[in-house]
Amino acid sequence: GQQLNQSPQSMFIQEGEDVSMNCTSSSIFNTWLWYKQDPGEGPVLLIALYKAGELTSNGRLTAQFGITRKDSFLNISASIPSDVGIYFCAGPFYNQGGKLIFGQGTELSVKP
Amino acid sequence: SAVISQKPSRDICQRGTSLTIQCQVDSQVTMMFWYRQQPGQSLTLIATANQGSEATYESGFVIDKFPISRPNLTFSTLTVSNMSPEDSSIYLCSVAGTGGGYGYTFGSGTRLTVV
């Protein structure tokens, strides 16, 4: 089925380092969403992007909606141990009731 | 954003039995979504549940295996029927954002283990 291609699959970084992950699709999206999932929890929305070319920040997180509307990236600056978790990109299909499809996820590990 | 209460948070079930998962939202929503997350995997949509109509199932998911109820605008249930170990997953409900946005909110999930 349809899927977003997210990379990298996993990252092991040192506390204080910056992190970047991205998501690409063969389909155009009008909205890109970035979620974080902690163990034993459901995904929590970090950033929502609604306009091609949009750059949005949420604290140490910055995400951009690609100009082609087929990609997005998420950056985390100055990582801290609580950034550990799985990050997912997601896009809604407006013409299919707004259902979301998800990327494969990026598992982030931060070494203190 | 909406607050979702999902029950149970986890369960261990015998194969061949069924489990019903409940999802309660603190506001009225038109559509509710049910996802499955297999171990180490991403989220896959099972079905979309609209109040007053039958759920719409994604390819690979059937009503006999995953019957869904949507009796009102704040509640839905998903039943995992005739379970096998392959059904061991996290099941999550979700609702779309309000105010024109698509910031979907998720429940905390039901971690199901079938033995």
Side-chain angles (χ1 to χ4, degrees):
Chain A
Q2 294 161 310
Q3 194 169 29
L4 301 178
N5 298 310
Q6 186 174 348
S7 63
Q9 284 190 316
S10 61
M11 303 182 76
F12 298 85
I13 62 169
Q14 197 78 30
E15 182 177 0
E17 290 183 350
D18 297 344
V19 171
S20 184
M21 58 194 78
N22 68 81
C23 215
T24 61
S25 171
S26 57
S27 302
I28 289 175
F29 284 92
N30 292 316
T31 299
W32 282 92
L33 306 170
W34 284 93
Y35 285 87
K36 182 192 179 196
Q37 185 177 29
D38 292 326
E41 299 292 329
V44 173
L45 183 67
L46 299 174
I47 292 180
L49 301 159
Y50 299 107
K51 189 176 177 182
E54 179 182 359
L55 185 71
T56 298
S57 294
N58 179 6
R60 293 177 297 106
L61 277 60
T62 301
Q64 183 154 32
F65 192 145
I67 200 72
T68 65
R69 294 194 284 159
K70 292 183 177 182
D71 64 302
S72 177
F73 71 74
L74 175 71
N75 286 345
I76 305 173
S77 62
S79 58
I80 59 177
S82 62
D83 290 334
V84 166
I86 303 177
Y87 293 79
F88 292 100
C89 60
F93 284 106
Y94 290 2
N95 61 354
Q96 297 182 40
K99 69 176 187 179
L100 289 182
I101 64 166
F102 284 82
Q104 300 94 328
T106 297
E107 184 170 9
L108 179 63
S109 301
V110 180
K111 186 177 180 181
Chain B
S1 58
V3 176
I4 300 175
S5 174
Q6 190 172 336
K7 298 179 184 179
S9 59
R10 59 178 60 230
D11 208 340
I12 301 173
C13 300
Q14 296 291 322
R15 67 177 67 201
T17 63
S18 298
L19 176 71
T20 295
I21 302 167
Q22 300 180 2
C23 188
Q24 178 77 53
V25 189
D26 70 343
S27 58
Q28 294 185 337
V29 292
T30 304
M31 288 188 291
M32 295 178 74
F33 304 89
W34 286 98
Y35 288 84
R36 181 177 72 181
Q37 187 176 25
Q38 294 176 300
Q41 301 295 313
S42 185
L43 286 79
T44 300
L45 182 66
I46 297 172
T48 302
N50 289 338
Q51 193 269 334
S53 63
E54 282 197 5
T56 302
Y57 288 83
E58 296 298 302
S59 176
F61 297 97
V62 295
I63 187 171
D64 289 346
K65 176 67 175 178
F66 298 101
I68 287 172
S69 77
R70 185 78 203 276
N72 57 53
L73 291 173
T74 63
F75 187 78
S76 179
T77 67
L78 169 76
T79 299
V80 186
S81 302
N82 188 25
M83 289 183 286
S84 66
E86 292 71 35
D87 295 319
S88 298
S89 295
I90 299 172
Y91 293 86
L92 301 117
C93 65
S94 174
V95 301
T98 56
Y102 272 87
Y104 292 71
T105 301
F106 285 82
S108 55
T110 296
R111 184 178 294 271
L112 171 62
T113 302
V114 183
V115 298

